[in-house]
Amino acid sequence: MSVRRVVVVGGGITGLVVAYRLLAAQKGQRFEVTLLESRARLGGNIQTEREGGFVIDGGPDSFVVAKPFATDLCKELGLGERLIGTTPKNRRVYIPRRGALHTMPEGLVLAVPTRFLPFARTPLFSLTGKARMALDLVLPQRPKEKGDESIGSFLRRRLGPEALDVLGEPLLGGIYAGDVDLLSIRSTFPQLADLEDRHGSLIRGALAERRKKPATKGPPPSPFHSLLGGMGELIEALARRIEKAGGDIRVGAPVVSVERSSGAESNAPARWVVRYGARDGQTESIEADDVVMAAPAHAAASALGPLDAELGALLRGIPYLSTGTVVLAYARPDVPHPLDAVGVVIPKDERRRILAATFISSKWAGRAPQDAALVRVFVGGHRDPGALATSDESLVSLAREELGSLIGVRAAPMLARVFRYEQANAQPIVGHAARVRRIRDIARRLPGVHFAGAAFDGVGIPDCVRQANEAAEAVAAR
């Protein structure tokens, strides 16, 4: 049986799945896998702490069910019975408007209205704004051959500026903490662009898609899955499987460079030398047949730029933003609001200093003791790029002030945690798909170098799992 040495750069969900897949395959060839992670922990943006009966996710707390890759992976790892959905009675979302919290109208599909009465009755929009959204039914569609377009341009054109400001910017832009006038609609929400391409109208298309779904009794199934012990359970399970299969995981090992091996014979397949910083401050190296770059694009650019200047420039051209999560726990009697929702998303023109807040103890079962409430507050992103320059104490004070204004909680929290994600949120801006195609074209000049992860083809956990599966298949097929 042949032995192939693979170095996986990046210990987030993508890199871990690549390593797990290669070590689990071992059919006809054996893989020796070394995973290098620059930080002292695995998981990337996925980070879970457990303390005093609280389950605290600093980064993603769930993944979408509609894309099955993450759900299937959890079941494969023996976590199927740990999967949970959002609490059925608390699936509404609040939006602050003119000094009051209003519930988002039922029937919205990614900011597209599909039910007449809830939309007609909502005070979130003016009569003019509602009429402008309805024009989507008769407006001509934009020819697909005109190419990519920003989320902002797309929603203004189809649904009008009020729909963008109240729904599109906080909901769609909020997922990326990004600027809707820069983010690509076809690289972030291609399903919306597809509705226009196929139906000529977002509303008609969303209604047609809804009619395809079978009718169900009771509340609809949750569109999201999480794990009972937080998303960190997935990271922990993958790490255990990798180590059990003989994989070599090295944390605190930032990759410095990827270079061609000088020892290979001229007619032999290309081999690579991966140099990385060790804990003693020295640089160590590993030879590899394949290198999977599952790190942020700017880290990949630093490692590969000297090898190919055009590739380095393209990777550096993928922007990133920094965000922070402030998690606060309160005694439940100290919170006057019923917390009967997933949380609050905040339009930009409300001029608040936070992006959103999630009522974690209402959203998921088992996240807090019975007599406590757990809330997450999000800061930074494109609205406040300097937010993370302040201290943890300042961020906690900011979160407390905003929650006091939004839901009336004035008491001191029982627990406070701050999670910082510096330059960790990839931004698929207009033209992103063409950039990624060019990166993959150039990679053909570097046989054995592969790319996967949030910087390339989808930032969600299911998209990262899918890309990891594809990267592992590409390594095995080479």
Side-chain angles (χ1 to χ4, degrees):
M1 182 182 290
S2 63
V3 178
R4 297 261 299 285
R5 174 165 281 282
V6 182
V7 172
V8 179
V9 181
I13 182 67
T14 308
L16 288 166
V17 174
V18 171
Y20 163 68
R21 290 283 176 226
L22 290 173
L23 291 164
Q26 309 288 20
K27 294 177 181 177
Q29 57 186 327
R30 187 165 66 86
F31 294 101
E32 291 182 357
V33 180
T34 299
L35 185 148
L36 302 175
E37 167 54 46
S38 63
R39 284 171 282 197
R41 64 170 183 85
L42 298 172
N45 286 2
I46 298 175
Q47 188 174 3
T48 302
E49 293 183 4
R50 305 174 186 100
E51 178 181 341
F54 293 99
V55 178
I56 303 166
D57 279 313
D61 69 346
S62 62
F63 50 85
V64 295
V65 174
K67 298 179 179 181
F69 310 102
T71 299
D72 291 347
L73 175 64
C74 288
K75 292 177 179 178
E76 183 180 332
L77 293 169
L79 298 173
E81 293 185 358
R82 307 284 295 172
L83 289 168
I84 57 174
T86 50
T87 307
K89 65 179 181 179
N90 293 326
R91 290 180 184 168
R92 64 178 61 85
V93 175
Y94 284 111
I95 298 178
R97 209 72 182 147
R98 293 177 288 276
L101 288 179
H102 302 281
T103 56
M104 191 183 300
E106 293 180 5
L108 283 174
V109 178
L110 291 176
V112 181
T114 63
R115 292 181 59 181
F116 175 74
L117 283 179
F119 174 65
R121 291 171 177 165
T122 180
L124 283 170
F125 304 99
S126 67
L127 288 175
T128 303
K130 292 174 183 178
R132 175 60 185 84
M133 291 173 78
L135 278 179
D136 168 75
L137 292 163
V138 296
L139 287 172
Q141 71 186 87
R142 180 176 185 262
K144 188 175 180 180
E145 55 268 22
K146 283 195 172 183
D148 203 2
E149 183 179 13
S150 73
I151 294 173
S153 169
F154 179 83
L155 289 182
R156 279 192 202 95
R157 181 171 56 78
R158 292 305 323 175
L159 300 173
E162 200 170 324
L164 173 65
D165 293 343
V166 177
L167 291 177
E169 196 278 336
L171 279 177
L172 308 189
I175 291 173
Y176 294 83
D179 186 342
V180 290
D181 287 317
L182 297 178
L183 292 166
S184 158
I185 188 68
R186 293 192 179 274
S187 292
T188 55
F189 300 97
Q191 63 271 49
L192 285 178
D194 186 57
L195 291 180
E196 182 183 28
D197 292 341
R198 292 189 295 115
H199 300 276
S201 157
L202 300 186
I203 297 174
R204 281 203 307 270
L207 288 170
E209 294 300 311
R210 195 179 76 176
R211 285 192 291 269
K212 291 180 183 178
K213 295 179 181 178
T216 57
K217 293 182 179 179
S222 171
F224 301 100
H225 271 156
S226 187
L227 291 160
L228 278 169
M231 289 307 305
E233 285 194 5
L234 178 55
I235 302 303
E236 294 153 8
L238 285 166
R240 285 194 301 269
R241 291 293 188 98
I242 291 166
E243 290 176 337
K244 186 176 181 180
D248 180 12
I249 295 176
R250 305 182 191 182
V251 296
V255 168
V256 176
S257 66
V258 177
E259 306 162 10
R260 294 183 186 274
S261 172
S262 58
E265 299 177 10
S266 59
N267 61 345
R271 283 178 64 82
W272 304 97
V273 176
V274 180
R275 303 192 189 280
Y276 66 97
R279 288 183 176 178
D280 59 5
Q282 302 299 310
T283 300
E284 297 186 6
S285 63
I286 308 175
E287 271 211 9
D289 299 290
D290 291 83
V291 179
V292 181
M293 300 300 299
H298 46 82
S302 297
L304 293 167
L307 193 65
D308 191 298
E310 184 185 0
L311 179 61
L314 285 165
L315 289 166
R316 279 190 201 90
I318 298 174
Y320 277 73
L321 291 175
S322 299
T323 58
T325 308
V326 182
V327 183
L328 301 172
Y330 293 94
R332 187 63 187 89
D334 288 339
V335 184
H337 193 277
L339 301 180
D340 54 349
V342 168
V344 183
V345 296
I346 300 172
K348 185 177 180 179
D349 63 5
E350 288 290 305
R351 301 189 182 281
R352 290 189 171 270
R353 295 175 294 166
I354 63 174
L355 304 173
T358 307
F359 307 152
I360 291 296
S361 50
S362 298
K363 183 179 179 184
W364 306 106
R367 288 298 198 262
Q370 193 74 24
D371 57 351
L374 191 65
V375 182
R376 295 203 307 171
V377 176
F378 302 93
V379 298
H382 93 100
R383 290 194 200 171
D384 188 3
L388 269 61
T390 60
S391 66
D392 285 3
E393 292 76 12
S394 296
L395 291 175
V396 169
S397 295
L398 166 63
R400 289 183 61 186
E401 289 172 18
E402 290 288 336
L403 287 180
S405 172
L406 284 167
I407 60 174
V409 58
R410 307 291 179 185
M414 304 162 55
L415 173 150
R417 291 287 183 275
V418 176
F419 299 85
R420 295 169 178 270
Y421 298 98
E422 301 272 4
Q423 293 297 298
N425 297 268
Q427 301 292 294
I429 61 174
V430 173
H432 180 75
R435 178 182 295 273
V436 171
R437 283 195 299 271
R438 182 57 185 155
I439 287 170
R440 298 198 187 281
D441 285 344
I442 293 173
R444 295 192 182 99
R445 304 198 295 246
L446 309 173
V449 176
H450 314 265
F451 295 93
F456 301 102
D457 189 20
V459 302
I461 292 173
D463 288 313
C464 289
V465 173
R466 171 183 52 77
Q467 291 180 71
N469 294 342
E470 293 167 355
E473 289 171 3
V475 170
R478 203 170 72 85

